Every structure is written in C-alpha cells, then in structure tokens.
Amino acid sequence: MLLCDMGADVIKVEPPTGDSTRRMAGASATDSPSFNAVNRGKRSIVVDLKKEEGRAVVRRLAMSADVFIENYRPGVMQTLGLDYDRLGAENPRLIYASISGYGQTGPDARRGGFDLVAQGVAGIMSVTGEPGRPPVKAGVPLTDLGAGLLALAGILASLLHRSRTGRGQYIDTSLVEAGVALSVWEAAEYFSGVGIPQPLGSAHRMSAPYQAVRCADGYITLGAANQRLFRRLGEVLGHPEWADDPDFADDSGRVRDRERLAGLIEGVTAAQPRRHWLDLFEAHDIPCGPINNYAEVMSDPQILARGLVVETDHPTLGRIKTLGSPLKLSETPLITGRPAPLLGQHTDDILRELGCSASDIVRLRDIGAIC
C-alpha cells in the first residue's frame, strides 16, 4: 500500500474467493473495513493459480513488473513455477520480495506465520504487560506490519541498486525476524548480562522515569529520562531533593530503583487530575502526553492536521475513512484518497494491457483461469 501511495501501479493478484481479509468482521459482500484499510489505490485481478493458464498470466505480469511480492509459505511459489529463480531468469530486472513467517531457510522455514505466534516466538509477548500477569501480545500487529515495512525498505534499496546496475534481486524477510529486530532494548539488556528481560508495564528498559503515571482521574505519560529533565521534574513536583538522592544520581540508578521512584512521583501526581499535570509539565517543557483512546486519536487536531485521516468514496461502502500516510514527500507527494478495489475489478483491463484479446479473455474465463 505504501508503494501504491508513492505512485506505483500495484496489481493485487487474488484467488477466486478473494483475499481472506475481505471477509473479516464487518464485511459487506466482498469488502470489509480490514481489506480497505491496507489496499487503497491497488488494482485487483482474480487468477486461479491452480490452473496452468492462471499461472501463465502471473508469469506474463512478472515479465513487465518492477517488483513482485508474495507471502506464501516457503516452497509454494517454487511448486507453482513462480519462484524467483524462474521469474528472475525471465526478467533479470525483477525485484522479488518474499515475506513469510520464519524466513526461507532454517529448521522452521516451512511453518505458517501469524502475528500472534510470531510475537510469542520473537519474545515480544514475554515483555509485554504488567509484571506477574499472563503474557499478552502488543496491541498492534507489530510483526505483520514490521515485516511489511522491512520488505519495503529492501524494495526501495533494491530499486536504487537496479538503477545503478540494471539487475534486480531477491528479498527474504519474515514476521519472526521483524519481531526480533524490533527488540533492540531487550536484546541489549540480555546481551549485556543483566538477565532475561521481564515485562515492565509502560516503563522503559533503559531510562527512568519514562512511563505512564497515575493522576487523580487516570494516567498520563511522562518522560524525564535525563539529568536536566529529572531535576526539573523534581522542582515542578515540589521535591528538588530527588535530584540529590544517591539512588537517583544517574539514569542507571533510576532504572534500578524505578519502582520506588514511580511511587514517589505518583504520590504527588495522584492528588491532581490529568489536565493539571499536562498543562504544568508542558509549561515547563517536560515531555508528557495524554493516553488517548482511538476516538480521541482520530479527532486529535495534530493528527488531522497531518492528514492521517482520509475520507474516500467507495463504490459499495459509500463514504469511508481510512488512515492517511505518515510520509510527507516534497517533490512527489503521496496519493492516499483512492479506494481499495472490488474483487477482480481490473481483471479485464490488466489482461488487455498484457496483450490479451477479447477472445483470449473469454477463453481464460471459460476454463476458470480468471474470474
């Protein structure tokens, strides 16, 4: 979707039943909010890869494509004759990206990949949540989205490489690797010999105070994780002596004694409502913020000013809202106002672009290679 936002002509190849996300909760006919959330601006072609004629259509698409992205289990594309060795030989400029659960090699390569499972394997669930509570996954699908973003980085780097050499290449990344790669602080703690990282709630592993703190009517976030800010925080809260406490002399000490420090801070902040502390901390340039629910997020003036809520006219769902792009490019502004495609909406158009005649299209449809 991000490539599509950047101006790429993205063709989504779907099976006759459609992408499974089309049928997620809230679906109307072949369209669901989940599908529309990540498929805006793409074109949809329906191809049955179980038929040789359908696979031939995909090979023809790959002949003229810049980038080919797939997320089947390792080995499936080779069985279908749509792997990089074959397609890359036919189109040496092709950039081919595979996103899988565990990667294309290793003892677990053939296992299926789901965000929940990958978060567990990658360790994310072991450090998420409050100490002593059951493991929970991160609220957003970090490994799913992280793997997609890593693939995007590889694709953009490969496009630059191709512009210099004329050659495409193969990109291999996975959900589990995304989860491990994002665990930079946890890995640093473990590799440094401190021990196995444990859940800390909202606290930071390497800095304190840097967490949610309790107020009279709920919680806010507070980040005073360097000496200057910590001293200022103590002064604002009426406890300048905290800065002279030997246990809080530096960030390492505050991390070791974070529970006592948090208790001291909340002993003060619990006496006043959130708005009081947000206004006071902001006035003294101490990093802080509200903990918004998503109704508050989607009406936040800053979020709206940055174009992160986009309204789109959809042919069957009417006027819908989706997320805009977090990227702002000065010379090539992103395109985010187009709807996701209906199932197979562009099949005939794409086949004509490939050189198929009207009779070719009728024949492919008659034998079930396309829908």
Side-chain angles (χ1 to χ4, degrees):
M1 185 178 74
L2 288 174
L3 287 167
C4 191
D5 290 348
M6 294 174 186
D9 176 17
V10 176
I11 297 171
K12 185 175 183 70
V13 180
E14 300 189 64
T17 55
D19 186 314
S20 62
T21 62
R22 287 185 181 271
R23 300 182 296 281
M24 282 186 168
S28 174
T30 63
D31 298 289
S32 72
S34 300
F35 181 83
N36 282 280
V38 291
N39 287 285
R40 64 165 171 256
K42 301 176 186 178
R43 297 199 288 166
S44 170
I45 180 173
V46 174
V47 177
D48 189 347
L49 296 183
K50 295 178 182 178
K51 297 185 180 296
E52 172 54 33
E53 293 85 354
R55 297 192 291 274
V57 168
V58 175
R59 285 194 290 271
R60 289 180 67 175
L61 279 170
M63 281 295 293
S64 58
D66 292 297
V67 180
F68 187 100
I69 304 171
E70 63 88 14
N71 68 333
Y72 284 95
R73 292 194 191 202
V76 171
M77 295 304 275
Q78 186 173 21
T79 300
L80 294 172
L82 299 174
D83 54 301
Y84 176 67
D85 287 345
R86 175 161 183 174
L87 299 187
E90 296 172 352
N91 178 6
R93 291 176 55 82
L94 184 67
I95 294 163
Y96 189 118
S98 292
I99 306 172
S100 59
Y102 294 79
Q104 300 295 309
T105 59
D108 292 331
R110 295 297 179 106
R111 297 182 64 185
F114 295 90
D115 176 74
L116 171 67
V117 177
Q119 285 200 33
V121 173
I124 293 173
M125 289 181 65
S126 76
V127 296
T128 304
E130 296 292 336
R133 300 290 295 167
V136 295
K137 72 177 184 67
V140 297
L142 282 181
T143 67
D144 264 349
L145 301 179
L149 290 170
L150 290 173
L152 173 64
I155 288 166
L156 296 177
S158 297
L159 287 168
L160 179 60
H161 170 77
R162 193 183 68 181
S163 73
R164 295 172 174 172
T165 67
R167 299 191 306 274
Q169 63 179 307
Y170 183 62
I171 299 164
D172 169 14
T173 193
S174 70
L175 277 63
V176 168
E177 287 167 292
V180 174
L182 291 170
S183 303
V184 288
W185 300 126
E186 291 68 28
E189 183 175 14
Y190 177 69
F191 289 149
S192 67
V194 173
I196 297 174
Q198 300 296 313
L200 298 172
S202 63
H204 195 285
R205 217 159 278 287
M206 303 295 181
S207 295
Y210 191 94
Q211 64 186 82
V213 298
R214 182 166 54 90
C215 304
D217 60 347
Y219 286 80
I220 63 172
T221 55
L222 172 66
N226 61 41
Q227 297 301 110
R228 175 178 55 84
L229 289 172
F230 180 62
R231 181 174 293 278
R232 187 183 306 166
L233 174 67
E235 293 170 352
V236 168
L237 294 180
H239 288 278
E241 73 278 6
W242 289 351
D244 299 320
D245 188 321
D247 291 335
F248 303 149
D250 55 26
D251 211 25
S252 295
R254 293 193 294 273
V255 167
R256 284 193 301 269
D257 211 6
R258 66 162 66 85
E259 289 188 19
R260 183 168 75 90
L261 176 57
L264 291 172
I265 293 171
E266 290 185 343
V268 180
T269 58
Q272 296 289 341
R274 289 172 294 177
R275 190 70 263 165
H276 170 84
W277 296 116
L278 289 171
D279 291 342
L280 186 62
F281 292 155
E282 289 169 6
H284 288 84
D285 202 23
I286 296 173
C288 65
I291 299 175
N292 289 331
N293 62 40
Y294 277 97
E296 293 166 329
V297 171
M298 300 311 171
S299 61
D300 185 291
Q302 178 66 20
I303 302 300
L304 296 176
R306 295 294 289 172
L308 286 172
V309 177
V310 175
E311 292 196 3
T312 303
D313 289 317
H314 189 275
T316 63
L317 299 176
R319 192 78 170 166
I320 62 173
K321 290 183 178 180
T322 58
L323 293 180
S325 174
L327 291 171
K328 310 293 184 286
L329 305 181
S330 63
E331 297 299 320
T332 54
L334 277 68
I335 308 164
T336 58
R338 296 173 293 172
L342 300 177
L343 179 60
Q345 180 179 347
H346 307 97
T347 298
D348 289 15
D349 292 341
I350 293 168
L351 291 173
R352 282 193 289 267
E353 292 167 12
L354 291 176
C356 292
S357 65
S359 60
D360 292 333
I361 296 173
V362 169
R363 182 182 64 82
L364 288 171
R365 190 162 277 121
D366 286 344
I367 63 175
I370 64 169
C371 294

